[in-house]
Amino acid sequence: MLSGCELQHGVLLMGKWTKRFLDMAAVVAEWSKDPSTKVGAVAVAPDSRAVLSTGYNGLPRGVEDLPCRMERPGKYLWTAHAEENLIAHAARQTLKGATVYVTHLCCANCTRMLINAGIKKIVCGPGLTNMDYEHFAVARQMMKEAGIELEVEDVQQ
């Protein structure tokens, strides 16, 4: 047996549990509203095979579901990967309602994760990065639509 698969006559075959969970991930993928790429992910406990979390590619919770946000290249700023959503949904059990303090303004990638993990407030310090302004503009718009309170501090040391 190799990672839930077995070798038979030189061909790698999926085990029944591997097939079941890949089939489940395919069902979850269908929930995505992305017209060109539908990806699903399923996290499973190693011993019990219990499903711990699922995720599919899509917009963060509470962010307006506009068709233009699913078009390339803009969708790469707006949508979270299935794996990101899987992690965020699992983290939501711990982080729901929390405040995050971060030295820099959050980019679109991090904002998606924070929204999906249930963060309700983000407090940013004055740090600057070289990322394109568009990443931060999209991040602020997602925060606004998802009801995330943003506070930007000018910290004097």
Side-chain angles (χ1 to χ4, degrees):
M1 195 81 139
L2 186 65
S3 319
C5 302
E6 61 182 69
L7 202 57
Q8 189 176 71
H9 305 292
V11 177
L12 197 60
L13 302 175
M14 280 190 276
K16 83 176 175 189
W17 285 102
T18 298
K19 181 171 178 2
R20 287 175 181 170
F21 291 128
L22 284 175
D23 287 348
M24 184 181 291
V27 168
V28 172
E30 290 303 314
W31 301 341
S32 172
K33 293 183 180 177
D34 186 327
S36 63
T37 308
K38 296 184 182 297
V39 180
V42 177
V44 178
D47 297 330
S48 66
R49 295 188 184 120
V51 173
L52 302 173
S53 185
T54 62
Y56 58 91
N57 58 312
L59 296 168
R61 295 172 187 249
V63 172
E64 238 180 297
D65 201 358
L66 302 175
C68 63
R69 292 179 177 172
M70 287 294 173
E71 295 173 10
R72 291 183 182 100
K75 78 176 190 174
Y76 300 120
L77 289 173
W78 288 95
T79 61
H81 289 183
E83 303 89 340
E84 288 178 294
N85 278 327
L86 176 143
I87 293 165
H89 295 163
R92 193 171 181 84
Q93 303 306 313
T94 304
L95 298 176
K96 190 174 184 178
T99 298
V100 170
Y101 297 84
V102 61
T103 58
H104 292 61
L105 185 61
C106 301
C107 68
N109 297 347
C110 295
T111 297
R112 291 190 307 258
M113 289 287 289
L114 293 171
I115 290 169
N116 283 337
I119 300 301
K120 286 298 172 199
K121 182 176 180 179
I122 300 170
V123 179
C124 299
L128 299 174
T129 71
N130 292 327
M131 290 179 80
D132 291 338
Y133 172 78
E134 184 180 22
H135 286 268
F136 302 105
V138 168
R140 283 180 180 256
Q141 185 63 35
M142 284 192 285
M143 287 178 208
K144 180 180 174 185
E145 291 178 20
I148 305 300
E149 182 183 345
L150 174 63
E151 186 178 310
V152 180
E153 298 289 333
D154 184 16
V155 179
Q156 300 292 325
Q157 292 185 341

